[in-house]
Amino acid sequence: MATTLAKAADGADTTEYAARIEHVSKSFAGPAGPQLVLDDINLDVAPGEFVTLLGASGCGKSTLLNLVAGLDKPSAGSIATNGRPALMFQEHALFPWLTAGKNIELALKLRGVPKAARRERAEELLELVRLKGAYGKRVHELSGGMRQRVAMARALAQDSQILLMDEPFAALDAITRDVLHDELTRIWRETGLSVLFVTHNVREAVRLAQRVVLLSSRPGRIAREWRVDIPQPRRIEDAPVAELSIEITEELRGEIRRHGQH
Ligand SMILES: Nc1ncnc2c1ncn2[C@@H]1O[C@H](COP(=O)(O)OP(=O)(O)OP(=O)(O)O)[C@@H](O)[C@H]1O
Ligand SMILES: [Mg+2]
């Protein structure tokens, strides 16, 4: 389970990381006994750092993210996060009977923001994700991209140090995804949040991250990582993004070949 680290009495952070994953392994019960899905994962996410986790389908990316979120427990090893993480998934998971604004206010309520302050904060968050004026809109009135913006605003409402994202843009068309990459980069730079972002899209990983971590398959181990020093804002079609993506894709293909996956 993700543990919340103690803060100093004056409220200052006492940690030099947003998330620390140490010697984490995870097995699930399978028909032929326990199946090792993650094997001895060690990974730190620094405060304010943007890390993407990349790997073939089924290599354990979502499993690792769920462990960091505290939704499941590692079989071995430990995970610590600086405060409770905020989550965002491929499915927006907004409440359809609430408006965009009320979905965000619910997150504010759950973290104890007084009623009188919620509306203004919800409006601010909607403005941050460029959805000014959508406060009273119901979920079915919003496009897929707009729903993911509201989901992002709701995640930000939790005021966490770290945002965990599991393929949040995978269901969107390429143009909408491109716009949301720009928005996420802008919000990350404005807020100083740490982000741990899971994807199997290499270009997306390179477009967004300061560091790309590649997981091998069966079991998931950290195969390699790359620092991405290309200046932000980047575009997915920029030559340096394409070049590094080709190098990483080669490595990913090698991992898939080694494990006989498609
Ligand atoms: N609750 C569970 N019980 C049993 N097996 C599980 C459970 N959750 C995940 N697995 C298995 O663990 C492995 C990793 O799954 P996981 O969902 O983490 O992969 P992933 O890397 O996120 O894949 P994708 O890119 O397709 O989303 C898979 O073989 C999956 O079947
Ligand atoms: Mg997954």
Side-chain angles (χ1 to χ4, degrees), residues 4-126:
T4 300
L5 294 167
K7 291 201 166 191
D10 61 2
D13 281 348
T14 56
T15 55
E16 74 281 22
Y17 55 84
R20 173 159 287 176
I21 302 167
E22 285 184 299
H23 299 295
V24 163
S25 297
K26 178 70 181 173
S27 302
F28 291 112
Q35 184 204 358
L36 185 63
V37 169
L38 293 172
D39 185 23
D40 197 28
I41 305 285
N42 291 286
L43 179 67
D44 269 14
V45 180
E49 191 180 21
F50 199 129
V51 176
T52 48
L53 202 57
L54 194 62
S57 182
C59 76
K61 302 180 297 296
S62 296
T63 301
L64 185 57
L65 212 71
N66 287 343
L67 294 175
V68 177
L71 299 175
D72 200 356
K73 288 182 189 163
S75 308
S78 65
I79 296 181
T81 56
N82 186 4
R84 184 192 286 270
L87 310 176
M88 190 175 157
F89 301 106
Q90 183 171 339
E91 302 296 326
H92 58 74
L94 298 170
F95 294 118
W97 59 88
L98 296 177
T99 61
K102 291 291 180 193
N103 265 286
I104 298 166
E105 285 188 19
L106 184 59
L108 295 169
K109 182 179 176 184
L110 290 173
R111 83 167 166 89
V113 174
K115 194 162 197 275
R118 283 180 218 150
R119 167 98 196 210
E120 193 184 340
R121 183 66 187 137
E123 303 263 23
E124 278 171 15
L125 287 164
L126 282 169

Side-chain angles (χ1 to χ4, degrees), residues 11 30 34 40 61 87 121 125 143 151 165 204-205 210 224 243:
D40 197 28
K61 302 180 297 296
L87 310 176
R121 183 66 187 137
L125 287 164
S143 69
M165 307 180 92
E204 177 172 74
Q210 292 174 302
R224 233 188 112 172
E243 262 166 46

Side-chain angles (χ1 to χ4, degrees), residues 34-224:
Q35 184 204 358
L36 185 63
V37 169
L38 293 172
D39 185 23
D40 197 28
I41 305 285
N42 291 286
L43 179 67
D44 269 14
V45 180
E49 191 180 21
F50 199 129
V51 176
T52 48
L53 202 57
L54 194 62
S57 182
C59 76
K61 302 180 297 296
S62 296
T63 301
L64 185 57
L65 212 71
N66 287 343
L67 294 175
V68 177
L71 299 175
D72 200 356
K73 288 182 189 163
S75 308
S78 65
I79 296 181
T81 56
N82 186 4
R84 184 192 286 270
L87 310 176
M88 190 175 157
F89 301 106
Q90 183 171 339
E91 302 296 326
H92 58 74
L94 298 170
F95 294 118
W97 59 88
L98 296 177
T99 61
K102 291 291 180 193
N103 265 286
I104 298 166
E105 285 188 19
L106 184 59
L108 295 169
K109 182 179 176 184
L110 290 173
R111 83 167 166 89
V113 174
K115 194 162 197 275
R118 283 180 218 150
R119 167 98 196 210
E120 193 184 340
R121 183 66 187 137
E123 303 263 23
E124 278 171 15
L125 287 164
L126 282 169
E127 201 167 337
L128 184 65
V129 297
R130 304 230 161 115
L131 271 187
K132 201 164 180 247
Y135 181 93
K137 288 259 194 310
R138 290 197 181 269
V139 175
H140 72 268
E141 296 177 279
L142 304 170
S143 69
M146 290 162 97
R147 288 176 198 180
Q148 287 309 74
R149 284 172 194 262
V150 177
M152 211 187 303
R154 188 183 54 178
L156 295 169
Q158 294 171 41
D159 208 22
S160 299
Q161 301 292 312
I162 179 160
L163 180 56
L164 307 177
M165 307 180 92
D166 194 352
E167 308 204 41
F169 309 138
L172 304 174
D173 66 87
I175 301 293
T176 307
R177 190 159 58 229
D178 206 41
V179 173
L180 283 171
H181 286 157
D182 290 347
E183 301 293 10
L184 177 59
T185 299
R186 177 181 59 81
I187 289 166
W188 163 65
R189 294 169 91 191
E190 277 177 25
T191 58
L193 264 174
S194 306
V195 182
L196 183 56
F197 186 107
V198 161
T199 181
H200 52 237
N201 181 329
V202 180
R203 286 274 191 134
E204 177 172 74
V206 174
R207 155 73 185 84
L208 292 170
Q210 292 174 302
R211 189 151 60 103
V212 176
V213 176
L214 176 66
L215 282 188
S216 66
S217 307
R218 298 185 183 179
R221 295 195 178 107
I222 294 187
R224 233 188 112 172

